[in-house]
């Protein structure tokens, strides 16, 4: 039912906007990550490198990275 509704809307918008059609069909590209998301992605990627750090070392590591992106 939802798919049929989207197809109908996409057919109506086909000549007007490719962006609308892509959005309706779910074929738009994934947006680039924001700065906050980049920080989270970095932390996930570098998680193994932070094992064994004391809470103070983790704080200093995190703060230096945060100040670099602000």
């Amino acid at each position: 039912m939802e798919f049929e509704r989207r197809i109908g809307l996409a057919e109506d918008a086909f000549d007007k906007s490719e962006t609308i059609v892509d959005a309706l069909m779910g074929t738009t590209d994934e947006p680039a990550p924001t700065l906050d998301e980049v920080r989270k992605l970095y932390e996930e990627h570098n998680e193994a490198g932070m094992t064994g750090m004391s809470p103070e070392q983790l704080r200093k590591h995190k703060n230096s990275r945060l100040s670099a992106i602000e």
Side-chain angles (χ1 to χ4, degrees):
M1 198 140 176
E2 174 67 18
F3 184 71
E4 292 170 352
R5 185 182 73 81
R6 286 179 180 236
I7 292 290
L9 290 171
E11 286 174 345
D12 293 342
F14 188 76
D15 293 330
K16 298 174 188 168
S17 172
E18 185 178 331
T19 304
I20 293 172
V21 173
D22 286 342
L24 287 166
M25 301 312 295
T27 58
T28 57
D29 294 332
E30 187 173 320
T34 63
L35 285 178
D36 283 339
E37 293 169 336
V38 167
R39 181 182 57 81
K40 291 174 188 170
L41 290 170
Y42 170 78
E43 288 175 357
E44 290 172 8
H45 177 73
N46 197 38
E47 189 174 0
M50 293 186 280
T51 56
M53 287 187 178
S54 70
E56 182 67 14
Q57 289 172 319
L58 286 171
R59 184 188 65 78
K60 287 182 178 182
H61 179 81
K62 183 177 179 180
N63 286 343
S64 67
R65 284 4 181 230
L66 287 175
S67 65
I69 62 172
E70 290 179 348

